[in-house]
Amino acid sequence: MSATSTLAMTHLVPLAKDLDENKVTPGVLGFIVFAVIGAAVWLLMKSMNKHMKRVNFEEAPEEPGKAAAAASTEGAKGAKGEERTA
């Protein structure tokens, strides 16, 4: 142990005795961790909302006959070995 750590321990031990041993609090470090997690969640939600606004989807579904026909023709094209692009 270095002299600095020994000096720090001698100053912290009397402070620890003043605290109630049956009471545990998170302290400043707990608050900082909680605040960082809260800020990260807020930023992720903001980013998710921005990306969800960019999503373009069709609200009215197509007629069932058209959707089935389109799916069968795409499957036939893929089975013939034609290259499909996404």
Side-chain angles (χ1 to χ4, degrees), residues 13-67:
V13 170
L15 293 175
K17 292 293 181 187
D18 293 340
L19 297 175
D20 184 11
E21 294 179 4
N22 295 324
K23 184 178 178 184
V24 178
T25 61
V28 176
L29 180 63
F31 173 75
I32 291 171
V33 169
F34 187 77
V36 167
I37 291 172
V41 168
W42 181 74
L43 289 171
L44 285 171
M45 292 288 287
K46 190 173 178 180
S47 174
M48 183 189 70
N49 283 333
K50 185 171 73 171
H51 283 86
M52 290 299 285
K53 286 179 184 177
R54 292 182 184 175
V55 173
N56 187 12
F57 63 95
E58 189 174 322
E59 291 185 23
E62 292 183 16
E63 295 177 15
K66 285 185 180 179

Side-chain angles (χ1 to χ4, degrees), residues 66-78:
K66 285 185 180 179
S72 65
T73 56
E74 279 189 29
K77 286 180 183 176

